Amino acid sequence: MTTSLRAAWASLPSRLKLLEPVAFSDAEWSLLERLHATFNDREAHTKLPLAIARFRDDAAKEIFEQARQFDEVVTVNVDESWEQRVAVSAADPMAPYVRLYNEDVDAMMGVLVPPASYRKEHYAYGRFVFPEPHGLHTDHSLEDPAAGGEPICIARIETLGTHYVDGDYRLQDAATQNMLKALRYWIPVPEGQPEEVFAELLKRGTLKTIPVNHVMLMVAGNGAENAQVTQHISARPPEGGLHSAFFQRQYRLA
């Protein structure tokens, strides 16, 4: 399986239009082989998120330039009527890139997690000016409350990143768990105000930063015991905001 999985990954670049697969280390290959065999391997989940691809330089530049044209955030849910809506309107300049992203990510997931099939998607672009970060959260499958861990691929283009809780969050000490609660609900706790907690957890490395212009493999789900869903929080824009684009595509497991 190791040889066939690596060979299949090596064959991908000629099939992709927007993305470039990354080269994995031996440790990353070991992790991917475990997820390939059984995606709901909770110990493997603690090693996610993992970068699986990067945007081609010209594509990242084009997407960013499109995002810079909007001083409000445009959020689009990809539903049954999405293709029809974008076909009759030129008002969504991000749609062509989203189509390519979808095709490329589906091809990569077909190699890495063969049982995965599309569940849902949304994307957003424009100038992000949230006065505080989107609270620490996980992505869920509300249409399937019993879902365990499911693959989800997210990407941030250029300036505005995303932070995530590193490792097995259930093993954090009580004080750190309380600090994570401050970020989840953006409330003060005995350990400090949420802004102070945010900075401290980044300094400690409890929160790590997802690189921009990369596609990250993460875990969504509904908190099943056999899954560690990825807890993440968007970076806080400076005063005046920052332009960016965000793509998120989630899968179900057959």
Side-chain angles (χ1 to χ4, degrees):
M1 182 184 74
T2 299
T3 301
S4 62
L5 178 59
R6 297 191 186 197
W9 190 253
S11 72
L12 274 175
S14 62
R15 298 168 51 193
L16 305 185
K17 301 179 179 68
L18 191 72
L19 305 173
E20 298 173 340
V22 302
F24 298 120
S25 67
D26 286 342
E28 289 167 339
W29 270 121
S30 178
L31 168 64
L32 289 167
E33 286 156 7
R34 291 175 63 173
L35 294 169
H36 184 273
T38 306
F39 186 78
N40 271 312
D41 179 332
R42 189 176 188 281
E43 184 179 351
H45 287 172
T46 67
K47 306 296 193 299
L48 296 178
L50 176 69
I52 60 173
R54 65 182 298 275
F55 283 75
R56 299 181 190 276
D57 290 341
D58 57 343
K61 181 178 179 181
E62 290 174 15
I63 292 169
F64 180 56
E65 288 303 317
Q66 294 290 354
R68 288 182 63 191
Q69 305 307 309
F70 294 82
D71 279 336
E72 301 289 337
V73 175
V74 178
T75 301
V76 181
N77 289 311
V78 178
D79 55 23
E80 307 80 33
S81 64
W82 179 74
E83 282 287 358
Q84 182 179 5
R85 294 199 314 271
V86 298
V88 299
S89 172
D92 186 350
M94 207 59 69
Y97 300 102
V98 173
R99 285 197 189 95
L100 294 177
Y101 175 81
N102 294 346
E103 293 170 5
D104 286 1
V105 172
D106 285 352
M108 291 188 294
M109 293 302 290
V111 171
L112 298 178
V113 189
S117 60
Y118 171 70
R119 180 185 285 284
K120 62 183 180 180
E121 177 179 25
H122 77 273
Y123 57 98
Y125 55 94
R127 184 164 59 96
F128 290 79
V129 292
F130 301 127
E132 61 194 40
H134 183 13
L136 187 68
H137 66 289
T138 58
D139 290 285
H140 297 297
S141 302
L142 298 179
E143 60 278 276
D144 186 2
E150 296 183 329
I152 183 169
C153 292
I154 74 167
R156 282 279 189 189
I157 310 302
E158 291 302 331
T159 52
L160 187 63
T162 303
H163 310 299
Y164 65 94
V165 180
D166 187 39
D168 191 339
Y169 54 79
R170 298 184 189 182
L171 299 182
Q172 298 287 355
D173 59 72
T176 303
Q177 292 279 10
N178 216 30
M179 295 171 79
L180 294 174
K181 178 181 177 182
L183 299 189
R184 188 169 295 111
Y185 302 107
W186 208 251
I187 58 173
V189 293
E191 289 74 14
Q193 296 291 324
E195 293 89 348
E196 299 165 349
V197 168
F198 193 14
E200 177 61 23
L201 291 182
L202 278 171
K203 180 180 177 181
R204 291 185 189 181
T206 305
L207 287 179
K208 291 191 174 179
T209 303
I210 290 173
V212 297
N213 298 343
H214 284 73
V215 179
M216 307 299 296
L217 174 60
M218 298 169 48
V219 186
N222 284 320
E225 285 300 316
N226 65 337
Q228 171 165 303
V229 290
T230 307
Q231 298 198 348
H232 53 287
I233 184 171
S234 58
R236 189 172 192 177
E239 186 175 354
L242 281 175
H243 289 88
S244 185
F246 175 75
F247 299 164
Q248 175 174 301
R249 188 165 177 84
Q250 185 174 330
Y251 298 81
R252 60 165 60 88
L253 296 177

